[in-house]
Amino acid sequence: MADDKKIIFSMVGVSKAFQANKQVLKDIYLSFFYGAKIGIIGLNGSGKSTLFHLILGFLQPDSGGVYVDDALLSADKLTSWRSRIGYVSQQLFMVEGTLLDNIVMGYNSEHPDMDRIDRVLRLASLNHFVGSLPKGVYTPVGEGGSLLSGGQRQRLGIARALYKEAEILMFDEATSSLDETTEHAINDSIIRLSEECPGLTLLVISHRPESLSVCRRIVDICNIQ
């Protein structure tokens, strides 16, 4: 199984507090393996998103450390580390351009790999939608993606991560603001993605059981502190 492979990153004795008398995370030890499919659950305010932000290096732990390929994640390694991660949250950052602009996001944007674009659109279940548009991937998305539905924006976030060939996809309550039908369609896309890309590491934060159905391991953050 993919979960038996080498550790891609780990958290060793990680603690984080935002107030002197309120520790959000305390003495966390977690290992994440290449190809793992892991769900993170916990009560509101238990530190799930804080955990993700520590992994991404947006926050620094008060004690302990995040290790990537057995080396401490230091400031000089953050850019390289983040290039390996695709982060999909409730609010996807979008530029006021076309679908294509928002997939490549400056990555070789003058000469985008259109074969790769076609592949990631299919993997993100956007190919039928884009194929129905007169301008295809050159269709404007509007300010903040206003011309797209919530589900289309989330799929676009997946396509963006796949285009940059991310090794790790992190979903932070990515479907929680969507209606049930759209959420179900997105979850089906993620399951199909995991089947077609078995080496892809998935980390999913969600309070909805269906969104965790792709995960082979569920970690309750309240029970590891």
Side-chain angles (χ1 to χ4, degrees):
M1 291 178 61
D3 289 13
D4 295 328
K5 294 182 179 179
K6 181 183 174 184
I7 293 174
I8 186 170
F9 68 96
S10 58
M11 308 184 81
V12 180
V14 169
S15 297
K16 184 65 181 178
F18 294 105
Q19 301 174 15
N21 61 345
K22 186 177 181 182
Q23 199 161 37
V24 179
L25 297 173
K26 182 179 179 181
D27 207 24
I28 299 293
Y29 286 83
L30 279 175
S31 294
F32 300 85
F33 295 81
Y34 281 90
K37 312 292 186 285
I38 298 177
I40 308 292
I41 63 173
L43 300 173
N44 287 338
S46 59
K48 301 185 297 296
S49 290
T50 298
L51 184 83
F52 268 22
H53 291 163
L54 287 163
I55 292 170
L56 287 158
F58 295 148
L59 295 173
Q60 296 302 311
D62 297 328
S63 60
V66 176
Y67 289 78
V68 177
D69 294 328
D70 297 324
L72 182 66
L73 180 60
S74 52
D76 61 307
K77 297 174 182 174
L78 285 176
T79 299
S80 174
W81 171 233
R82 289 172 186 159
S83 72
R84 300 167 64 182
I85 298 173
Y87 179 64
V88 184
S89 63
Q90 292 183 46
Q91 300 298 323
L92 179 70
F93 172 76
M94 300 186 69
V95 298
E96 191 174 356
T98 65
L99 287 165
L100 182 62
D101 295 330
N102 278 280
I103 293 173
V104 302
M105 289 298 286
Y107 181 78
N108 197 22
S109 56
E110 292 185 4
H111 304 285
D113 186 333
M114 298 310 294
D115 288 336
R116 194 193 304 181
I117 290 291
D118 289 342
R119 180 173 182 269
V120 302
L121 288 174
R122 180 180 60 79
L123 288 172
S125 299
L126 269 176
N127 51 322
H128 295 303
F129 165 67
V130 174
S132 72
L133 301 171
K135 294 184 179 180
V137 292
Y138 301 101
T139 301
V141 300
E143 184 176 359
S146 60
L147 300 181
L148 302 177
S149 70
Q152 288 161 355
R153 286 195 291 271
Q154 294 305 92
R155 288 190 178 96
L156 191 63
I158 297 171
R160 178 188 297 174
L162 295 174
Y163 183 78
K164 79 170 189 176
E165 298 184 320
E167 300 172 39
I168 304 165
L169 280 184
M170 300 173 68
F171 294 90
D172 188 353
E173 296 282 10
T175 62
S176 64
S177 62
L178 304 177
D179 63 81
E180 185 175 342
T181 300
T182 305
E183 180 189 24
H184 182 75
I186 294 291
N187 290 333
D188 283 348
S189 297
I190 295 173
I191 290 171
R192 186 162 56 253
L193 173 64
S194 71
E195 292 171 347
E196 293 199 33
C197 306
L200 190 66
T201 302
L202 296 180
L203 305 182
V204 181
I205 289 177
S206 182
H207 63 279
R208 297 180 178 178
E210 185 185 5
S211 295
L212 299 170
S213 59
V214 69
C215 302
R216 300 173 189 163
R217 174 187 173 197
I218 304 295
V219 175
D220 187 341
I221 199 169
C222 299
N223 292 333
I224 57 173
Q225 306 188 62

